[in-house]
Each structure stands twice: as structure tokens, then as C-alpha cells.
Amino acid sequence: MIARIIIPIVLSIVLSDLYIDWHYRRRHPNCRWWMRALWWMPGVLLLGYAVALATIRNFVPDDLMWVNVFMVLIGLVVVPKVLFALCSGVGFVCCRLTGGHRNWGNLLAVVLILGNWYVLAYGFAVGIDKLEVRRVDLYFDNLPDAFEGYRIVQFTDAHVGTLEARNVGLLKRDLDSINAQRPDLIVFTGDLQNAQPQELYPVSGLLASLKARDGVMSVLGNHDYSKYVHASPAVEAANRAETIAQQRRCGWRVLLNEHVVLRRGQDSIVIAGEQNYGDPDSANFEKTMHGVGRQAFTIMLQHNPAAWDATIVPTKRVALTLSGHTHGGQMSVFGWRPTRWVYAEDYGHYERGESQLFVSSGLGGLVPFRFGISPEIVVITLHKTK
């Protein structure tokens, strides 16, 4: 994980400290060497911490505490330095251009740093423990009459390894809330684990407690493929098989590029489950939809919402796609989410022609942080357009 972002981390630490060191020495030219050394020490220690995490062979260490502590330190120490360097630097340039003597960028930096610390404290201490039960009514021209009012509870991105490390009671609360909705169908749209199937063993009883009239159906997310553990292809395949087997032991129906037909009298709908699109790319739309009539009302479970634009909408064969993966960026400030830079559809409800997409922010994440976008379960009620 850290290896993927090590260059931005190093640049943020070094460049911000260089600017602040220069800025301070301009004002205090007789500053003693040991004072400057004390200033540089936190950055040097964080650089060592970052390099140590980056050299771990797996995506994350077995004990997530090391990653979580690192992320908190980045938020407490590095982000404030970067904010000050950017604001002060821009303010200094403006002073030079306008002939002014007061660098208002320094004051702006103080405001932003205080805001950053508030977001950090709230996101790690409060936001991650919340749960929103989101209710969504969706309307379709071709919904079979017998499925009017059909209730689906979607949950996604549980990352149970993170919830176990923090408080397994949160997972129990979330699953109890799902059952309390008395759904016709429960669907899970990927990323049950962080890296390894062993994370699922302590909570298998909780996962097996989910009940719905038409059962629980699931698809794999990128974290469920055990790609984030440095292992031989054989071990990786064995881990993936164990993840699938563990879900099946819990009574879930894992859809691996396949579909299920649900019937109510003479009417029916199709629940299709496509494997992950992207990295790793195991998606196969044609295999998933083999034998499904073009007029069938189809709901597609696909972890990665990017597949909706790329392969699902062009076929005009799927009425509704349910996805996760993005976590809604895990942070939303005045409606801005970092995932908007990456995904055209990163959170919420979207329509294109006769195809609809809903992307849930999910329950958790590798890093236990949420601000402005709470963990959620989604209660989707299907309606026929009048």
C-alpha cells in the first residue's frame, strides 16, 4: 500500500520541510544548528517509517496498527506542513508581486491546519463508527408486476479485518441492521476481507446470521482475490478458493460470472454476478449473461462501477447494476470526494438510457476513517413505472 504512494510521501515531507526551514532562517538567521535538527527530526523519522512500510512484501502488514498509526502521523504532521508551505509560498510570491508586507497565506494556513486536525480526529474517532441506513426507491418500465415493492439490501466493502481490529461489535451491529430490514434479498458486492481469508474465521458466525427470503448473494471484490499477499500462484489460488468456500459455508451464494433466476409465479428477474472488473480483471459479461433473454429484467452485481460504462451500458441488457469499491472516497467535504478524480460514477445513483447504477460507500475500508460520508447499508425498493 505505502509502496504505491512512497514518492508523493517523500516529496511532501522533504519539500515542505525545506520550505519551512528556509522560511524560518530568513526570519532568524542566527538560528542554532540543534534547533534546526530538532525541526527536521520528525520528518526524518517519518521517512524511515514510510520506507519500512514500503519494503513489506505484502500490500499491508499483518498488524494493521502500523498502517493506521502511520496515516494518523501523516495527517497530524505532514499534511499541516504541506498546507503551510503551499499557503505561505503563494502568499510570499503575492507579496513580492504586489509590494505588500503581510503574508496572508500564513494566516490561511493556520485556519486550514486547524480544519485538517478536526477532520482527522472526527474521521478516525467518530465517523468510522457511524452507520446510515440509506433507503432508495428505483423505478423501471420493464419490472415484472410480481416484483413491485421487492426489497434488496445491498452492503459492500466490509473489510472485516479492519472492523475486527477496531471493534467487532460494529460488524454485529451492521449485520443486525441488515436483518432488521426484513429484505427479500441481500446482496454483497465485494471486498469482504482486506487480504487473506483467515480474517473471515472469527466472524463467520456473524456472517452466517444474515437471512432473507431469497437468501444472500455475493460477488468478489479486488481484495477478495488475495492479490495483496506476496505468495506463489498456487497459494494465491488456494486463498481465493478458501475465501469463496468460507462465504458458501456462511450460506451465501457466490456468483462467479454466472446468474440466478428468481421467480414469483409466472414472473421472474435475473440476479447476475460478474467477477471483478479492472485489477484483477476476471469479469466476463458474456459468460455471466449466457442463457439470459434480452427482455429479461436483470440486476447485475459488479464490484467495480467502472464496468458499468465500459461493458454493461453498451449491451442494453441490464436494468440495474449494484457496485461498491470506491468507499465514496471515505471523505466528502461540501460534496467533494477524492474518488471523483478517478471514477465517473463514484457514489450514489446514476442513469443512462434504460440502465441504472447504484454505487454504495460500503461499511468499511482498509484504513478506519470516514468524514462526511458514513458507512452505510442500502435498502433498495424496486417499483414499476406507472
Side-chain angles (χ1 to χ4, degrees), residues 2-82:
I2 302 301
R4 298 186 177 189
I5 55 174
I6 188 66
I7 293 177
I9 288 174
V10 171
L11 290 177
S12 297
I13 294 173
V14 173
L15 294 181
S16 60
D17 271 348
L18 280 173
Y19 173 81
I20 295 171
D21 183 67
W22 169 81
H23 178 83
Y24 185 78
R25 283 190 293 114
R26 280 183 64 250
R27 294 172 172 265
H28 305 87
N30 297 321
C31 176
R32 297 187 179 184
W33 67 268
W34 59 267
M35 297 179 67
R36 294 178 61 199
L38 285 176
W39 172 258
W40 276 91
M41 187 175 295
V44 171
L45 292 175
L46 272 175
L47 281 175
Y49 198 161
V51 171
L53 288 176
T55 57
I56 293 174
R57 300 178 74 186
N58 293 342
F59 185 66
V60 291
D62 291 337
D63 189 345
L64 286 177
M65 178 197 72
W66 296 107
V67 172
N68 295 336
V69 169
F70 178 76
M71 298 305 291
V72 169
L73 291 174
I74 289 292
L76 281 174
V77 178
V78 178
V79 173
K81 289 181 179 180
V82 170

Side-chain angles (χ1 to χ4, degrees), residues 21-159:
D21 183 67
W22 169 81
H23 178 83
Y24 185 78
R25 283 190 293 114
R26 280 183 64 250
R27 294 172 172 265
H28 305 87
N30 297 321
C31 176
R32 297 187 179 184
W33 67 268
W34 59 267
M35 297 179 67
R36 294 178 61 199
L38 285 176
W39 172 258
W40 276 91
M41 187 175 295
V44 171
L45 292 175
L46 272 175
L47 281 175
Y49 198 161
V51 171
L53 288 176
T55 57
I56 293 174
R57 300 178 74 186
N58 293 342
F59 185 66
V60 291
D62 291 337
D63 189 345
L64 286 177
M65 178 197 72
W66 296 107
V67 172
N68 295 336
V69 169
F70 178 76
M71 298 305 291
V72 169
L73 291 174
I74 289 292
L76 281 174
V77 178
V78 178
V79 173
K81 289 181 179 180
V82 170
L83 289 173
F84 179 83
L86 288 174
C87 294
S88 178
V90 171
F92 176 78
V93 171
C94 291
C95 285
R96 283 300 180 91
L97 293 176
T98 61
H101 298 287
R102 171 162 295 212
N103 187 342
W104 291 102
N106 294 338
L107 179 60
L108 175 61
V110 171
V111 174
L112 293 178
I113 289 168
L114 292 175
N116 165 74
W117 283 337
Y118 170 74
V119 169
L120 187 73
Y122 183 93
F124 276 100
V126 180
I128 191 61
D129 291 343
K130 291 194 167 188
L131 177 68
E132 179 178 350
V133 179
R134 187 171 185 185
R135 304 182 187 279
V136 179
D137 293 283
L138 300 180
Y139 294 82
F140 304 88
D141 293 334
N142 61 335
L143 180 71
D145 293 338
F147 288 87
E148 167 65 35
Y150 192 80
R151 287 159 57 85
I152 301 171
V153 172
Q154 178 198 8
F155 75 114
T156 189
D157 297 271
H159 291 273

Side-chain angles (χ1 to χ4, degrees), residues 311-334:
T311 62
I312 296 174
V313 170
T315 68
K316 299 181 179 180
R317 297 182 63 187
V318 176
L320 172 64
T321 300
L322 301 178
S323 297
H325 186 53
T326 66
H327 307 175
Q330 295 188 216
M331 181 175 73
S332 179
V333 179
F334 302 116

Side-chain angles (χ1 to χ4, degrees), residues 136-142 297-300 308 312-313 318-323 348-359 380-383 385:
V136 179
D137 293 283
L138 300 180
Y139 294 82
F140 304 88
D141 293 334
N142 61 335
F297 182 90
T298 300
I299 297 174
M300 177 69 76
W308 188 61
I312 296 174
V313 170
V318 176
L320 172 64
T321 300
L322 301 178
S323 297
H349 179 234
Y350 302 88
E351 292 187 71
R352 187 155 304 147
E354 296 181 355
S355 185
Q356 299 186 43
L357 167 70
F358 191 88
V359 185
I380 299 170
T381 304
L382 306 181
H383 299 284
T385 305

